[in-house]
Amino acid sequence: MKAWQLRAFGRENLSLNEVPDPTPGPGEALVRISSVSLNYRDKLLYEGNYNPHLEFPITQVADAVGEVVALGPNTTRVKVGDRVVTNYCTRWIDGPPTTKESLYSLGNIIPGALAEYLVLSENAIALAPSYLTNDEAAALPCAGLTAWYSLVEKGGLTTGQTVLVQGTGGVSLFGLQIAHALGATVIATSSSDKKLQRAKFLGATDTINYKTHPEWQDEALALTNKQGVDHILEVVGGPNLARSIKAIRPQGQISIIGIIEGFDATIPLFGIIQKQAIIRGISVGPLRALERMLKKFNELKLHPVIDTVYAFNDARAAFDHLERGAFGKIVIRVRD
Ligand SMILES: NC(=O)c1ccc[n+]([C@@H]2O[C@H](COP(=O)([O-])OP(=O)(O)OC[C@H]3O[C@@H](n4cnc5c(N)ncnc54)[C@H](OP(=O)(O)O)[C@@H]3O)[C@@H](O)[C@H]2O)c1
């Protein structure tokens, strides 16, 4: 089969290779991949910032949808013909996480999904809702679950609360859509006024351009009558976290998700103490949370925001797009 593999660190070392067809073992399913989507994490992987000990060659990309075409012995959770999506943390089924959840993610120490076929444990896949196209279903798993797990499962989001999402990438737009659909008020930030217009169309009540307002927390406070926001999806990290602490409401939750501006942060501890803010690390989420999210998406009929769909042979252009940043998700269609 054909697979896009990383042969060394660096985007230029991604190549389309012929590799042996995988065979499902006990408790596993063979999935014929239809579409995959890219995440910022894929960029971290090829840059060597996600796992500096990556072993090459390794097939890339975590998020996918496909059809189960064969089962290994004792595989009972899925059947041939099922359309399934991957779960990012392939060994995290439910309950409290270990510190190893993101290690066992596709394209890291196990082969990824940017290939014609993929073998996965039956506990690392969930049925894809039928109302979604393949491209939409592929867009969901990592970014969607990260936003859902942060806001709903760990954040206890309620109607009328205020959610602030940073930028218009995958996690943030899922956060916007979920929060809006559940009756929250959403403040969206972006470097682009055009993207902010599109964020309003998706349901954002207020918007802040973080390029023209680098101290965006002052705008967020002004928009909330100086009260602050209830939830922040912190995808930026680095010095941005200190701004989020200023923008959070007393006992609000900042979900620590991303590191776009840095892996380290100096933060005002007294601000956290005074506000009794909750600073919560997030590592995507377990399979059961993915299943609950898919059920809710099906009820609400939420459609992921897809920026561009690329052909399998044109995967390099998709990774170039990831470097530029997208409005929502970048999809690669593996099979029509
Ligand atoms: N912990 C977890 O479980 C988890 C899960 C998923 C992702 N992540 C992390 O979360 C981050 C986002 O991932 P993603 O896949 O959603 O990324 P993405 O789709 O590539 O989105 C990146 C977007 O971030 C925005 N951005 C860049 N610098 C910014 C800044 N200073 N302030 C506000 N927004 C800024 C830009 O939006 P505009 O163009 O609108 O400015 C850009 O398009 C990454 O660091 C990723 O590694 C973590």
Side-chain angles (χ1 to χ4, degrees), residues 40 146 168-171 190-191 195 210 236 257-259 261 282 284:
Y40 194 89
T146 301
T168 55
V171 173
S190 176
S191 55
K195 289 182 179 181
Y210 66 81
V236 178
I257 295 169
I259 39 63
E261 285 205 346
I282 292 288
V284 194

Side-chain angles (χ1 to χ4, degrees), residues 39-250:
N39 290 287
Y40 194 89
R41 165 268 193 191
D42 301 319
K43 168 175 155 69
L44 294 176
L45 256 174
Y46 60 64
E47 285 172 343
N49 290 322
Y50 190 89
N51 176 5
H53 309 293
L54 205 61
E55 288 185 15
F56 304 108
I58 178 86
T59 303
Q60 288 302 283
V61 179
D63 280 353
V65 65
E67 184 188 342
V68 174
V69 290
L71 301 176
N74 305 321
T75 303
T76 55
R77 277 195 69 245
V78 290
K79 57 184 191 316
V80 169
D82 281 350
R83 194 171 72 128
V84 293
V85 292
T86 53
N87 189 36
Y88 185 82
C89 300
T90 60
R91 294 197 177 183
W92 190 12
I93 300 171
D94 204 4
T98 65
T99 54
K100 298 238 171 5
E101 304 304 356
S102 54
L103 186 66
Y104 295 101
S105 58
L106 296 165
N108 188 19
I109 62 170
I110 53 174
L114 189 46
E116 290 175 291
Y117 292 91
L118 173 73
V119 159
L120 261 187
S121 159
E122 62 178 346
N123 290 315
I125 47 185
L127 290 179
S130 57
Y131 79 98
L132 294 172
T133 65
N134 283 332
D135 295 336
E136 289 173 330
L140 259 178
C142 173
L145 183 54
T146 301
W148 167 267
Y149 198 59
S150 302
L151 290 174
V152 178
E153 304 228 352
K154 291 294 163 187
L157 178 70
T158 54
T159 307
Q161 288 190 320
T162 303
V163 174
L164 184 135
V165 296
Q166 302 172 340
T168 55
V171 173
S172 300
L173 287 195
F174 277 118
L176 190 171
Q177 288 181 291
I178 291 166
H180 175 63
L182 297 180
T185 299
V186 181
I187 302 175
T189 76
S190 176
S191 55
S192 148
D193 287 340
K194 260 193 185 158
K195 289 182 179 181
L196 289 174
Q197 274 307 320
R198 295 174 71 186
K200 277 203 163 173
F201 186 69
L202 289 172
T205 306
D206 295 295
T207 58
I208 305 167
N209 185 319
Y210 66 81
K211 285 283 182 219
T212 51
H213 296 96
E215 300 302 322
W216 58 263
Q217 73 280 4
D218 296 338
E219 308 300 311
L221 286 167
L223 287 168
T224 54
N225 206 14
K226 294 203 172 81
Q227 298 305 299
V229 300
D230 297 287
H231 299 266
I232 297 179
L233 298 183
E234 178 64 61
V235 298
V236 178
N240 199 58
L241 176 55
R243 298 190 186 102
S244 293
I245 291 165
K246 289 184 185 152
I248 200 74
R249 184 188 285 259

